[in-house]
Amino acid sequence: MASIKKIICALDLSQHSALVAEYAVAVAKAFDAEIVAVYAAPALTQYVGFHVPPSSIENFVGEIVSGAEKTMQEFVSEHFSGVKATGKVVNGYAAEEILNMIEQSGADLLIMGTHGRKGIDRILFGSVAEKIVKSSPIPVMTVRPTS
């Protein structure tokens, strides 16, 4: 049987994240595993050339990250009770940052949500989940929204 001791739970901190957390907690309890919950804050570096001073963008990103860290702390304490869990906020493109975390953490499983986009929405917005599933060196469990 596969050994699962560390789970990365990738979250976007939306309403749907509570359902993703439920699955992560259930798996963690079944395997006595720890959870590292991660949120990737956008980097916004692509906007540096748009007559916006880089310092303004850096300040804005800093505010996003600090707000996300506070939200992550609250989310972890509310949704991951009964298991060993920590929260982490990274900065950059979500798929790349999550894949980097997999490489660095020694995790055995990734659990993440999907938005279930179809058609033109999927073409325009892409799919972080799809990119991760195709590139992940570890198993990935995806959780679709219920509504």
Side-chain angles (χ1 to χ4, degrees):
M1 180 173 199
S3 173
I4 298 173
K5 292 297 171 197
K6 184 181 279 188
I7 299 166
I8 294 177
C9 182
L11 304 166
D12 63 5
L13 299 176
S14 70
Q15 252 183 327
H16 178 55
S17 291
L19 179 63
V20 177
E22 279 184 49
Y23 278 94
V25 168
V27 174
K29 285 181 177 178
F31 286 91
D32 192 29
E34 70 175 287
I35 297 171
V36 178
V38 63
Y39 169 75
L44 303 180
T45 54
Q46 68 266 27
Y47 298 108
V48 170
F50 289 109
H51 304 290
V52 178
S55 62
S56 296
I57 292 173
E58 288 169 14
N59 289 339
F60 182 62
V61 170
E63 288 177 28
I64 290 171
V65 170
S66 96
E69 286 171 344
K70 183 176 187 271
T71 301
M72 177 62 86
Q73 270 184 326
E74 293 167 359
F75 188 92
V76 168
S77 64
E78 184 179 340
H79 295 282
F80 292 104
S81 60
V83 295
K84 182 179 177 191
T86 56
K88 184 169 174 85
V89 175
V90 294
N91 182 250
Y93 176 61
E96 287 178 17
E97 294 302 323
I98 293 166
L99 289 167
N100 287 339
M101 181 164 267
I102 289 169
E103 294 287 329
Q104 296 166 4
S105 71
D108 305 298
L109 176 68
L110 171 69
I111 299 176
M112 66 182 303
T114 67
H115 287 286
R117 290 189 179 109
K118 295 179 181 173
I120 193 72
D121 278 351
R122 181 159 177 192
I123 292 167
L124 292 175
F125 298 110
S127 170
V128 170
E130 180 182 15
K131 290 174 177 105
I132 290 171
V133 167
K134 287 181 176 180
S135 303
S136 177
I138 62 174
V140 178
M141 177 180 173
T142 60
V143 180
R144 285 187 58 128
T146 53
S147 56

